[in-house]
Amino acid sequence: MIINPDAAKSEYTFLSLGDSYTIGERVSETDRWSVQLAGLLRKDNVDVGNPDIIARTGWTTAELQEAIKASGNQKTYNLVSLLIGVNNQYRGQSQDQYRTEFRELLQTATKFAAGKTNRVFVLSIPDWGVSPFAAGGDKARVSREIDQFNAIAQDECQKAGIVYVDITPLSRSAAGDDSQFASDGLHYSGKQMKQWAEKALPVAKELLKK
């Protein structure tokens, strides 16, 4: 867990939950999408600190939930984000399992938001099938499965009254542009994650008004 020691100096606090896309595999701390989002909010005169982050490359929904419990974090936050599921898809885990575990994570995220679903938002799973890493693989299958997992996430968000932000089309637009990928050719660069932050910005601003 990454703690922002200066968070208490800001009016609003922010927690970002996820996997490699949240921790920003192969990018600098300042390039992480949620850190970029906090910066954009501050530019719009919203006094929010950089996020606390519970995320690690490779985590599935179950592993994220376990890590949250292990962290012992009892804080509550004004804003909570969740981006999880690509490793469930990558490892071939069942969509039914994902639905159950994703629903539980929405409940966990809501607890971190002091029980307020209107302070939680979810980002869709990016499509790693367009990455250089996936060259020669079955890109159509990856894309189809990502869509299926995202449909589950969107459905569960709708049931829970949680805002869902669809960044998957942005990730697909990175195809063929190496500058939008990190050095490993699999994860996304700060340039691509900036677009996620910009897509989430109006949502975050609206949620912090509630």
Side-chain angles (χ1 to χ4, degrees):
M1 179 175 174
I2 298 171
I3 296 289
N4 171 22
D6 297 322
K9 298 176 184 177
S10 304
E11 181 180 358
Y12 297 113
T13 54
F14 179 16
L15 174 66
S16 196
L17 306 170
D19 49 35
S20 60
Y21 295 134
T22 295
I23 200 62
E25 179 69 19
R26 301 291 180 97
V27 303
S28 68
E29 292 179 17
T30 55
D31 276 339
R32 293 168 176 156
W33 79 263
S34 54
V35 173
Q36 292 197 65
L37 173 59
L40 292 172
L41 285 164
R42 288 192 294 271
K43 282 185 180 179
D44 281 356
N45 298 311
V46 179
D47 184 17
V48 61
N50 281 344
D52 287 351
I53 297 174
I54 304 178
R56 183 174 295 174
T57 298
W59 277 353
T60 60
T61 43
E63 289 163 339
L64 174 58
Q65 189 72 278
E66 289 168 7
I68 290 169
K69 291 175 183 175
S71 75
N73 186 6
Q74 299 295 317
K75 296 165 66 177
T76 56
Y77 297 82
N78 302 112
L79 191 66
V80 181
S81 70
L82 176 63
L83 167 49
I84 193 73
V86 69
N87 295 298
N88 297 67
Q89 180 274 328
Y90 185 80
R91 296 190 203 174
Q93 293 185 357
S94 79
Q95 292 174 24
D96 286 343
Q97 179 184 356
Y98 176 68
R99 183 182 290 277
T100 298
E101 293 172 356
F102 184 82
R103 185 185 301 139
E104 291 170 354
L105 281 168
L106 289 181
Q107 294 167 357
T108 298
T110 302
K111 287 179 183 176
F112 276 124
K116 299 176 182 177
T117 55
N118 61 1
R119 289 294 178 93
V120 179
F121 68 103
V122 166
L123 263 60
S124 67
I125 305 166
D127 186 354
W128 65 272
V130 303
S131 69
F133 176 88
D138 190 346
K139 297 180 180 181
R141 178 187 62 80
V142 172
S143 182
R144 181 175 64 253
E145 290 179 358
I146 292 290
D147 283 344
Q148 291 167 348
F149 276 80
N150 276 331
I152 291 168
Q154 187 170 17
D155 182 53
E156 290 301 322
C157 284
Q158 187 172 8
K159 289 176 182 175
I162 288 172
V163 178
Y164 176 86
V165 181
D166 187 5
I167 60 166
T168 309
L170 292 172
S171 72
R172 288 173 174 155
S173 73
D177 181 359
D178 288 349
S179 71
Q180 297 201 53
F181 293 93
S183 59
D184 61 2
L186 171 59
H187 296 96
Y188 292 92
S189 70
K191 181 178 178 180
Q192 168 66 202
M193 286 192 282
K194 181 182 179 183
Q195 296 181 55
W196 306 352
E198 290 170 341
K199 184 74 180 285
L201 177 61
V203 170
K205 286 175 68 175
E206 189 63 29
L207 293 183
L208 286 173
K209 290 178 183 177
K210 296 179 178 179

